[in-house]
């Protein structure tokens, strides 16, 4: 049974639990996923957490949600894991659109975070950045991607804008995949860690403008590392 502590980590665990349940029940494309009320009872989770997990599964392309009818298994469920180097969401968004969304949201959000940030928050962000660096050093690229996203989500949480925090959380699978590591250029894997360091230094001085500049630079550099044009041609 899942224990409701922090909703977002619980929601990500619930995504894995629901996937496991779907597999154990032998659900096939077109089959209906158990309703949210039933999932909440099965896993001891709140309805908001179940709703978020369902949205995550939809973003991952594993289910489709039909208003007033429920959620249904898609063809993608049960396939081998998609290669991390491939963009899985081409039918919904381009990578350019996701980077532009982040550029707009996160450069504003970090200004709010600079006003609210406490020493404990700085320690938390530093720990996430160091975890990302350690994962890169160990070749644990998926773990590095997760820590990278958690660093950015933590900034939104510190900012105190729940709407922005929830937008980022719901788009987690999509944003995370735009940050998949450039394996062909391993010498560049440490760049994001150092860019996070610049963001942290600005935040430690409660300097929102400098932090916003550092965040915009970081996101633009990410597009360069991933060979994604920030403005689509």
């Amino acid at each position: 049974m899942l224990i409701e502590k922090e909703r977002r980590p619980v929601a990500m665990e619930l995504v894995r639990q629901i996937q496991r349940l779907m597999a154990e029940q032998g659900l096939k494309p077109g089959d209906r996923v158990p309703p949210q009320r039933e999932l909440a009872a099965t896993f001891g989770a709140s309805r908001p957490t179940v709703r978020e997990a369902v949205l995550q599964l939809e973003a991952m392309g594993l289910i489709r949600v039909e208003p007033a009818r429920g959620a249904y298994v898609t063809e993608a469920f049960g396939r081998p894991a998609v290669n991390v180097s491939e963009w899985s969401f081409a039918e919904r968004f381009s990578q350019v659109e996701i980077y532009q969304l982040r550029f707009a949201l996160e450069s504003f959000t970090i200004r709010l975070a600079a006003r609210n940030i406490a020493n404990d928050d700085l320690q938390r962000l530093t720990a996430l950045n160091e975890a990302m660096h350690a994962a890169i050093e160990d070749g644990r690229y998926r773990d590095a991607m997760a820590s990278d996203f958690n660093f950015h989500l933590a900034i939104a949480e510190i900012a105190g804008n729940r709407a922005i925090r929830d937008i980022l959380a719901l788009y987690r699978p999509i944003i995370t995949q735009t940050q998949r590591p450039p394996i062909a250029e391993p010498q560049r894997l440490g760049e994001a860690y150092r860019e996070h360091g610049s963001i942290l230094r600005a935040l430690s001085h409660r300097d929102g403008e400098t932090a916003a500049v550092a965040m915009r630079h970081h996101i633009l550099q990410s597009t360069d590392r991933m060979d994604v044009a920030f403005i689509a041609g």
Side-chain angles (χ1 to χ4, degrees):
M1 179 179 291
L2 296 176
I3 300 173
E4 288 286 320
K5 291 182 180 178
E6 296 182 2
R7 199 178 80 186
R8 257 128 219 98
V10 171
M12 291 309 299
E13 175 60 24
L14 186 57
V15 167
R16 291 186 284 270
Q17 295 276 8
I18 295 172
Q19 286 181 267
R20 190 176 302 118
L21 178 68
M22 291 164 64
E24 290 172 352
Q25 292 185 348
L27 297 185
K28 298 178 178 59
D31 288 348
R32 192 168 187 264
V33 178
Q36 292 184 21
R37 183 182 298 105
E38 183 178 329
L39 292 172
T42 298
F43 296 110
S46 70
R47 291 291 293 277
T49 302
V50 171
R51 188 179 307 113
E52 181 173 332
V54 167
L55 288 170
Q56 292 275 13
L57 287 163
E58 183 182 33
M60 294 164 69
L62 301 180
I63 65 174
R64 70 177 187 279
V65 177
E66 298 184 6
R69 293 192 60 203
Y72 295 84
V73 180
T74 68
E75 293 288 339
F77 182 71
R79 290 178 186 167
V82 176
N83 188 317
V84 74
S85 67
E86 297 176 356
W87 177 241
S88 305
F89 304 96
E91 293 183 2
R92 300 184 62 192
F93 314 104
S94 70
Q95 294 181 79
V96 173
E97 290 171 304
I98 298 304
Y99 277 114
Q100 289 174 348
L101 172 69
R102 293 187 60 201
F103 188 89
L105 278 182
E106 296 193 57
S107 62
F108 170 75
T109 303
I110 201 164
R111 290 190 180 93
L112 298 180
R115 298 170 60 181
N116 298 334
I117 198 160
N119 289 335
D120 287 350
D121 296 322
L122 286 167
Q123 292 173 8
R124 177 187 176 194
L125 291 172
T126 298
L128 287 169
N129 198 34
E130 293 301 325
M132 183 184 77
H133 187 245
I136 290 170
E137 291 293 299
D138 294 342
R140 294 181 286 108
Y141 301 125
R142 288 184 182 272
D143 290 344
M145 291 157 63
S147 293
D148 188 1
F149 179 86
N150 289 336
F151 178 90
H152 288 266
L153 183 61
I155 290 173
E157 290 171 349
I158 293 164
N161 186 309
R162 292 172 294 180
I164 293 176
R165 177 201 65 191
D166 283 1
I167 288 170
L168 292 177
L170 291 174
Y171 275 60
R172 181 183 190 116
I174 299 170
I175 292 173
T176 298
Q177 201 183 59
T178 66
Q179 297 301 102
R180 64 198 187 281
I183 306 299
E185 298 183 83
Q187 70 276 13
R188 301 197 67 185
L189 290 174
E191 291 180 6
Y193 167 73
R194 292 187 289 274
E195 290 157 13
H196 284 179
S198 297
I199 291 168
L200 280 167
R201 283 190 293 276
L203 287 174
S204 71
H205 291 99
R206 279 65 178 179
D207 184 346
E209 288 304 314
T210 300
V213 170
M215 179 63 79
R216 290 194 294 269
H217 173 75
H218 171 51
I219 292 172
L220 289 172
Q221 286 298 104
S222 294
T223 66
D224 183 64
R225 282 189 290 274
M226 295 311 306
D227 196 23
V228 175
F230 184 70
I231 303 297

